[in-house]
């Protein structure tokens, strides 16, 4: 009897791996793989071209800055013209831009200005692509949390495998060839998105015509109207500034300097493995109050900077990073699922763009000021502050009634009145 009941319950669960979800999963995975390979390939190509460490810094900034600057506009465009259409356009543009960049490296030594312009175009393409991930997920998956957890696992694996794959290819070929092969990931992603059947190319239904500025304002109004949403972003701006930023700068530097490159690779692999485990937990665990559960899981992140601050042996630091990966992956799934199930579909791209921009804006600031501050007060005290910020962020999130009281719901097709 029990087995029959369990089988009945399992069979009643909505299927995740439909044809469209498989296509979207493949598109997202290949795109992430390309994104994680590109910085390694570009670093090697710029160094080989003779532009040195300064050139690498300019190149990576040219890749990231347009993404941060344009993602809000990408959200507006996604809602106006259709998420699927914009993602295909993005993949096509990035394929062409990176293909030209690879060709320039194959033909000789391109000027640094040419490299920066093409990388900026690739970064801008990412800003157009990203809002569509949030918009399309609830359209192709009835179980949004399970879909997000599965995509998070894919992201974690790609972040670990991508740089390693790029390094392996660099060992047997030139940076130009790796840049060219990496460009093909965008072709694979675009082809899969073109084959989607349940997601229209055009936008969601809209009431009348509106201007770009009006859409931008409407997205901000929808974002601002939800206390639980903007409160989370404000807390995460603080955490990125005093927590994640210093932890990445000082933690990564200490690992490479004090433990060596091989230990750094072990620690990063452990972080990826922890993220995969966190995604698996998020598939099974379905809390009634997702942001409350996610906030509690944030506490686990404190192990990452704490392990480095205490100068633990490399295997123990790897364990700390793995535990942190579990907590962060679980939080990300809980938050993204909450956004995708509480925000109306016709404004989801814009709202996601606002929360993504807000979440990232303080990260480079925290990374930039960590080094100079460490010279003044020391790396260990700053890493201790970084660890404590996980506890502060958890306490702040739980102290906000709209955050801790937000309930899990099924995805909404109609506009939400959840403005608490």
């Amino acid at each position: 009897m029990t087995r029959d009941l369990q089988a009945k319950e399992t069979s009643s669960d909505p299927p995740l791996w439909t044809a469209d979800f498989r296509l979207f999963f493949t598109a997202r995975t290949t795109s992430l793989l390309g994104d994680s390979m590109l910085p390694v390939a570009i670093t090697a190509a710029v160094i080989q071209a003779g532009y040195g460490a300064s050139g690498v810094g300019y190149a990576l900034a040219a890749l990231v800055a347009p993404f941060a600057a344009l993602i809000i506009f990408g959200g507006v465009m996604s809602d106006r013209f259709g998420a699927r259409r914009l993602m295909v356009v993005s993949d096509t543009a990035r394929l062409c831009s990176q293909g030209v960049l690879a060709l320039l490296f194959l033909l000789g030594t391109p000027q640094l200005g040419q490299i920066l312009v093409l990388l900026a175009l690739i970064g801008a393409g990412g800003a157009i692509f990203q809002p569509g991930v949030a918009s399309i997920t609830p359209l192709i998956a009835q179980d949004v949390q399970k879909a997000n957890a599965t995509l998070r696992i894919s992201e974690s694996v790609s972040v670990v495998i991508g740089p390693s794959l790029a390094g392996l290819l660099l060992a047997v070929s030139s940076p130009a060839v790796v840049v060219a092969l990496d460009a093909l990931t965008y072709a694979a992603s675009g082809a899969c998105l073109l084959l989607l059947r349940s997601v229209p190319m055009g936008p969601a239904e809209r009431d009348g015509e509106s201007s770009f500025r009006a859409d931008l304002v409407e997205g901000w109004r929808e974002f601002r109207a939800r206390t639980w949403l903007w409160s989370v972003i404000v807390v995460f701006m603080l955490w990125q500034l005093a927590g994640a930023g210093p932890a990445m700068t000082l933690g990564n530097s200490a690992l490479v300097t004090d433990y060596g490159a091989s230990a750094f690779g072990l620690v990063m692999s452990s972080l990826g493995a922890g993220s995969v485990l966190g995604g698996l937990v998020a598939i099974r665990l379905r809390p009634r109050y997702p942001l409350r559960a996610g906030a509690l899981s944030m506490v686990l992140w404190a192990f990452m900077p704490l392990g480095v601050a205490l100068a633990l042996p490399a295997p123990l630091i790897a364990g700390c990073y793995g535990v942190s990966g579990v907590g962060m992956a679980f939080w990300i799934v809980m938050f993204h699922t909450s956004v995708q199930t509480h925000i109306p579909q016709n404004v989801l791209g814009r709202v996601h763009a606002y929360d993504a921009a807000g979440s990232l804006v303080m990260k480079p600031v925290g990374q930039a000021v960590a080094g100079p501050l460490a010279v003044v007060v020391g790396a260990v005290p700053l890493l201790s502050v970084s660890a404590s910020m996980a506890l502060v962020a958890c306490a702040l999130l739980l102290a906000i009634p709209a955050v801790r009281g937000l309930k899990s719901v099924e995805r909404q097709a109609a506009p939400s009145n959840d403005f608490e």
Side-chain angles (χ1 to χ4, degrees):
M1 177 73 72
T2 303
R3 289 181 179 178
D4 292 342
L5 180 59
Q6 289 176 343
K8 183 177 181 180
E9 289 176 349
T10 302
S11 64
S12 64
D13 291 338
L16 177 65
W17 292 98
T18 61
D20 274 356
F21 185 78
R22 287 196 296 269
L23 287 169
F24 185 70
F25 177 86
T26 304
R28 179 64 174 148
T29 301
T30 53
S31 180
L32 285 170
L33 189 64
D35 290 344
S36 61
M37 289 174 61
L38 184 57
V40 177
I42 288 299
T43 297
V46 171
I47 291 292
Q48 188 180 80
Y51 295 113
S54 296
V56 172
Y58 294 141
L60 296 180
L63 185 62
V64 174
F67 179 90
L70 297 176
I71 188 170
I72 292 177
F73 298 96
V76 176
M77 293 173 65
S78 179
D79 286 338
R80 284 182 69 86
F81 303 111
R84 181 179 164 212
R85 177 183 295 165
L86 264 292
M87 293 172 80
V88 171
V89 169
S90 169
D91 280 334
T92 303
R94 288 186 290 177
L95 171 64
C96 294
S97 299
Q98 196 163 320
V100 171
L101 183 60
L103 183 61
L104 289 176
F105 280 118
L106 284 170
L107 294 177
T109 302
Q111 297 178 6
L112 183 59
Q114 294 174 319
I115 298 173
L116 298 183
V117 168
L118 289 169
L119 288 175
L121 291 175
I122 295 170
I128 295 175
F129 185 94
Q130 182 59 36
V133 176
S135 298
I136 287 181
T137 301
L139 293 177
I140 61 171
Q142 295 183 49
D143 191 333
V144 179
Q145 179 176 323
K146 190 174 183 179
N148 277 316
T150 303
L151 292 172
R152 180 61 186 172
I153 293 170
S154 168
E155 180 178 345
S156 302
V157 173
S158 298
V159 168
V160 173
I161 292 178
S164 301
L165 179 59
L168 180 62
L169 291 172
L170 286 170
V172 298
S173 61
S174 68
V177 172
V178 179
V179 172
L181 291 174
D182 180 43
L184 296 179
T185 61
Y186 300 121
S189 173
C192 290
L193 291 170
L194 281 173
L195 293 174
L196 285 179
R197 289 291 175 263
S198 60
V199 181
M201 273 291 188
E205 293 186 6
R206 301 161 61 93
D207 296 329
E209 297 293 330
S210 61
S211 66
F212 189 94
R213 181 180 179 277
D215 283 350
L216 194 66
V217 171
E218 183 185 16
W220 171 251
R221 186 169 58 246
E222 293 282 347
F223 172 81
R224 188 184 61 182
R226 292 165 171 82
T227 303
W228 63 268
L229 181 55
W230 64 257
S231 297
V232 167
I233 301 307
V234 170
V235 171
F236 262 70
M237 289 173 68
L238 175 63
W239 176 74
Q240 292 280 20
L241 177 65
M248 292 188 66
T249 300
L250 302 178
N252 291 357
S253 299
L255 285 169
V256 174
T257 303
D258 300 338
Y259 296 88
S262 59
F264 180 68
L266 170 66
V267 169
M268 290 298 105
S269 297
S270 179
L271 178 63
S275 297
V276 170
L277 180 57
L280 292 172
V281 171
I283 289 177
R284 304 299 301 176
L285 187 60
R286 297 174 177 275
R288 185 180 181 187
Y289 299 95
L291 295 185
R292 184 186 302 180
L296 291 172
S297 74
M298 276 286 296
V299 175
L300 298 178
W301 184 87
F303 285 94
M304 181 189 294
L306 195 59
V308 180
L310 295 175
L312 298 176
L316 290 181
I317 292 180
C320 290
Y321 271 63
V323 171
S324 299
V326 173
M328 282 308 301
F330 186 79
W331 160 259
I332 289 171
V333 173
M334 293 300 105
F335 177 68
H336 285 177
T337 301
S338 297
V339 172
Q340 292 167 5
T341 53
H342 284 82
I343 305 299
Q345 185 69 37
N346 63 333
V347 294
L348 183 53
R350 281 166 283 175
V351 172
H352 172 68
Y354 275 112
D355 83 58
S359 298
L360 294 173
V361 68
M362 298 308 295
K363 185 175 183 178
V365 179
Q367 291 173 321
V369 303
L373 280 176
V375 174
V376 178
V377 303
V380 172
L382 276 183
L383 286 170
S384 299
V385 171
S386 176
S388 68
M389 285 307 302
L391 306 179
V392 172
C394 174
L396 290 175
L397 290 172
L398 293 178
I400 302 168
V403 173
R404 68 171 184 268
L406 189 74
K407 294 182 179 180
S408 175
V409 298
E410 297 297 325
R411 64 189 176 117
Q412 294 185 187
S416 170
N417 292 322
D418 186 13
F419 294 151
E420 191 177 358

